[in-house]
Amino acid sequence: MSDVLELEDLEDLECELEAADAKAGRTARRRTAIHDIEPGAAWNDVEHAILTRRSIRKFKGRQVPAHMIRRILEMGRFAPSQGNCQPWSFVVVRDKAMIAEMEQYCVAVCKNMTASVDYTNYPPGSEQRAAIMENTQKLNRASPNSFHPVPMTAIKSIANGRFAVFHKAPTVILILVEERGVGVPEVDIGVTGTNIVLAAQSLGLGTCWVGFSRLLSSNAALLEKLGVAPPFEIAEAICVGYPIGNPTQQTVSRQTHQIVWWEGGEKQILY
Amino acid sequence: MNDAIVKKAVVDADHLPIWDDPREAIYRKVTIDLDKCDGCKLCVVVCPANILELFGPKDNLKARLKTDFTGCMSCNNCYAVCAGQGIFATEPYDFAGYYEQKRISEFAFPRNF
Ligand SMILES: Cc1cc2nc3c(=O)[nH]c(=O)nc-3n(C[C@H](O)[C@H](O)[C@H](O)COP(=O)(O)O)c2cc1C
Ligand code: SF4
Ligand code: SF4
């Protein structure tokens, strides 16, 4: 046998171990069970949690017990990450006054933003509109993702007081990103957050991601209070609470995206 | 294979859509089946775009869109909470020019393959 273990050797080894297990009456101990499911089988628990999760933006007043928050953060801790660098850290805010302070600051930023960039406040053809639009389109071109029409609509609603940034949730988890992570640390933030959100869903808690939490980054005093300091910065937030209504009455429909499927020397396009 | 509405691959990528022009910022129309609506208000409460409201007499309230031109992002949170399946958005939002979406087909419910 060479120094390098070939795949076939591994398969042989596995068979030997399985045989030894069977002889000794031991149940398999080396890997989790493989569930071969029939086409069209019902959703399992994980699939069910994924499909019934909705972003929750209205919460009951009741606080979530601390151990539940610790429990879902624990799931975030075990998320995969590039080079296992785990480039995250959490700030849990459960103080009404603190959340209100965060909310107020974000609202103020949104008010400033709409005042300076939202040309839809002025009727088509007006001078103000033309003046603002020229500036806005420059900004829009420079950072097209931030100035996408969807967040701009939300920013306007936040400025008008029609939409809350942290949704008056009893608990807000800020996810900080360690900027010196491996590769693209922001991707790892998405992965750890997804673990947290799905774990919460499986426990009957409602969550909502809050990308607007990044607005807090321009408030040095608040950052200090929250313990956010370089090389960490706020990447995202997740609101947690008990949902109002029954947001999992039924699953929703979503876009079907192109899937290129290469198999047997042939390329197919699926949806 | 499903009959996909594959968008044209080349768009006017330089053009930025005007946010309040319904031809350029194409938010979704929301369909409300008034027969199936019992005015429970849940959709109004959960809609992140804040574009739904109730109308009509107190004993026969129904949901409707606040304005024709809305910020609906087709999340279908309204559908998710509606016991009578009376309200839904069926197509993705889209924008003209730079933001025009590609490789997107019609909506589908979860398919258990
Ligand atoms: C990274 C990320 C950031 C988000 N930021 C916000 C936010 O700031 N405010 C908000 O209300 N929703 C936010 N959302 C929620 C999305 O709007 C929501 O996931 C989407 O509309 C789909 O709806 P669903 O989550 O109910 O399926 C965010 C989602 C993600 C993944
Ligand atoms: S959730 Fe359904 S039944 Fe309730 S108000 Fe909205 S459309 Fe009507
Ligand atoms: S799909 Fe979402 S944004 Fe559109 S009306 Fe329903 S809840 Fe509101």
Side-chain angles (χ1 to χ4, degrees), chain A residues 168-212:
Chain A
K168 304 197 173 75
T171 296
V172 176
I173 301 170
L174 298 174
I175 309 183
L176 313 186
V177 60
E178 150 68 281
E179 276 305 330
R180 304 166 308 170
V182 180
V184 191
E186 281 75 14
V187 173
D188 298 333
I189 296 306
V191 182
T192 188
T194 294
N195 272 17
I196 293 168
V197 159
L198 291 177
Q201 173 67 19
S202 76
L203 298 173
L205 297 172
T207 56
C208 189
W209 284 87
V210 180
F212 287 124

Side-chain angles (χ1 to χ4, degrees), chain A residues 7 38 59 83 166 175 179 181 207 209 214 235 267:
Chain A
L7 193 59
E38 295 297 318
F59 296 98
F166 296 101
I175 309 183
E179 276 305 330
T207 56
W209 284 87
R214 276 184 297 260
K267 180 181 172 183

Side-chain angles (χ1 to χ4, degrees), chain A residues 116-129:
Chain A
S116 58
V117 304
D118 192 354
Y119 52 80
T120 69
N121 289 328
Y122 304 99
S126 64
E127 250 172 58
Q128 293 115 308
R129 181 173 162 113

Side-chain angles (χ1 to χ4, degrees), chain B residues 31-101:
Chain B
T31 311
I32 303 171
D33 184 340
L34 293 184
D35 290 340
K36 290 183 179 170
C37 173
D38 64 8
C40 73
K41 206 180 169 184
L42 279 175
C43 59
V44 177
V45 171
V46 301
C47 172
N50 217 313
I51 54 175
L52 301 170
E53 65 181 4
L54 293 185
F55 74 104
K58 266 219 173 81
D59 57 349
N60 192 24
L61 286 166
K62 301 284 178 190
R64 75 173 172 201
L65 286 175
K66 276 183 189 163
T67 51
D68 272 355
F69 181 62
T70 71
C72 174
M73 62 193 99
S74 52
C75 67
N76 267 315
N77 274 13
C78 50
Y79 176 82
V81 294
C82 180
Q85 307 190 356
I87 180 166
F88 53 95
T90 47
E91 270 180 81
Y93 59 70
D94 207 355
F95 300 95
Y98 179 82
Y99 296 108
E100 183 177 326
Q101 298 197 53

